[in-house]
Amino acid sequence: MINRKLLSHHSIYLSKHNRFASYPLHSHQFVEINYMLQGECNEMVEGNPIHLEEGSVLMMDIGCHHSVGQLNKNDLMINLIFNNKNISFKFLDKTHKKDSFQFHLSVSFQYFFTESQ
């Protein structure tokens, strides 16, 4: 899991997801984006099975419950974490509606947020 001490010094954190071990159901107090750079991975997000393939992006808001299946030797998933509690998908959606923010991805993506947000 992500070291809280390390996150306390960075507002954005980029890392390679660990392989060969699954991650049990958990949630975070930050926005997390998983990008499947190579290979594939199965996740369970808010009770929904998600299969990530090369080029897939999974965007999860603060408090989103998820688990991550084991990645294998040739799988490479990148985690992008926004450690600013003021950043959420609702914030980004409001910003987008004001036409001051544009978000473009050339890959398919999914995002999840909790009802409490």
Side-chain angles (χ1 to χ4, degrees), residues 1-2 4 7 17 23-24 26-34 60-66 68 79 81-82 85 114 117:
M1 295 296 184
I2 296 165
R4 288 187 189 273
L7 281 178
H17 190 84
Y23 284 73
H26 63 283
S27 66
H28 303 290
Q29 292 305 305
F30 49 77
V31 168
E32 178 180 4
I33 298 175
N34 297 149
M60 295 173 284
D61 210 345
I62 296 170
C64 183
H65 294 85
H66 64 286
V68 183
N79 298 320
I81 293 162
F82 295 89
K85 291 187 180 181
T114 61
Q117 292 292 311

Side-chain angles (χ1 to χ4, degrees), residues 2 5 21 34 39 46 50-51 56-58 83 88 91 114-115:
I2 296 165
K5 188 174 183 179
N34 297 149
E46 294 296 340
I50 303 294
H51 180 75
S56 296
V57 174
L58 175 62
N83 194 33
S88 70
F91 167 78
T114 61
E115 293 298 322

Side-chain angles (χ1 to χ4, degrees), residues 69-82:
Q70 177 179 322
L71 275 68
N72 296 306
K73 180 181 177 184
N74 296 320
D75 300 327
L76 180 57
M77 183 164 68
I78 304 299
N79 298 320
L80 180 60
I81 293 162
F82 295 89

Side-chain angles (χ1 to χ4, degrees), residues 2-110:
I2 296 165
N3 184 325
R4 288 187 189 273
K5 188 174 183 179
L6 180 63
L7 281 178
S8 68
H9 300 290
H10 303 283
S11 58
I12 298 176
Y13 180 74
L14 182 69
S15 70
K16 179 180 81 163
H17 190 84
N18 292 328
R19 293 180 282 187
F20 310 117
S22 58
Y23 284 73
L25 185 65
H26 63 283
S27 66
H28 303 290
Q29 292 305 305
F30 49 77
V31 168
E32 178 180 4
I33 298 175
N34 297 149
Y35 174 63
M36 203 69 212
L37 184 63
Q38 178 178 309
E40 59 186 348
C41 175
N42 291 310
E43 296 197 39
M44 186 66 74
V45 182
E46 294 296 340
N48 298 298
I50 303 294
H51 180 75
L52 299 177
E53 297 177 340
E54 189 170 316
S56 296
V57 174
L58 175 62
M59 302 165 58
M60 295 173 284
D61 210 345
I62 296 170
C64 183
H65 294 85
H66 64 286
S67 60
V68 183
Q70 177 179 322
L71 275 68
N72 296 306
K73 180 181 177 184
N74 296 320
D75 300 327
L76 180 57
M77 183 164 68
I78 304 299
N79 298 320
L80 180 60
I81 293 162
F82 295 89
N83 194 33
N84 181 336
K85 291 187 180 181
N86 294 320
I87 296 177
S88 70
F89 288 115
K90 288 190 177 191
F91 167 78
L92 294 175
D93 187 49
K94 287 177 188 175
T95 307
H96 174 71
K97 288 179 182 173
K98 293 178 185 175
D99 293 327
S100 61
F101 176 78
Q102 292 186 353
F103 186 73
H104 297 280
L105 283 177
S106 61
V107 295
S108 63
F109 66 93
Q110 301 178 38

